[in-house]
Amino acid sequence: MDTEITPSALRDAMRRDELFYSYQPKTSFESGRLVGAEALIRWRSGDKMISPGEFIPIVEQCGMAPELFEHMIPRFLEDRAVMCAQGIDIPVSINVSPEDLKVSGPTDLLHELIVGGQVTGN
């Protein structure tokens, strides 16, 4: 049975911790060395991977981008801590929707995390 992608299904996926980050490496063309990574949200529902091309438009259309951003920040911080503990201290970028910038909650949360030293300029 296919997962119907609705705001309710997305909220259920958040509650069930089905959303996670996949990290796409960034390499230098000059040296071939790892210079960073980009955190990309993925959704695994049971045995099925749901393409971001399927669920991100719904997130944006329904105004859920700030909610998703706020939900995923703790996961990002956990992943970052694991990377650093393993000696992988590279800049990691995350995508921010323009909708995230229209409300104060997620941007205030990110500001607090940066000021509190939990997120660095990397």
Side-chain angles (χ1 to χ4, degrees), residues 27-66:
T27 57
S28 166
F29 281 114
E30 292 177 359
S31 68
R33 295 166 84 157
L34 180 66
V35 295
E38 181 177 6
L40 304 169
I41 295 177
R42 299 295 184 249
W43 181 3
R44 181 180 298 119
S45 179
D47 293 335
K48 181 181 178 185
M49 289 295 293
I50 299 171
S51 165
E54 294 178 65
F55 71 87
I56 295 297
I58 302 298
V59 167
E60 292 173 348
Q61 289 168 9
C62 296
M64 290 181 63

Side-chain angles (χ1 to χ4, degrees), residues 13 26 33 46-47 50 53 78 85 88 92 105 109 114:
K26 294 180 182 180
R33 295 166 84 157
D47 293 335
I50 299 171
E78 291 168 9
I88 305 169
V92 180
L109 172 65
I114 292 169

Side-chain angles (χ1 to χ4, degrees), residues 21 23 72-84 94 109-110 113-114 117-120:
Y21 282 112
Y23 293 88
M72 293 303 292
I73 284 295
R75 172 61 78 102
F76 173 78
L77 295 174
E78 291 168 9
D79 290 353
R80 240 351 236 148
V82 169
M83 284 184 225
C84 289
I94 58 174
L109 172 65
L110 189 55
L113 295 172
I114 292 169
Q118 294 178 16
V119 176
T120 66

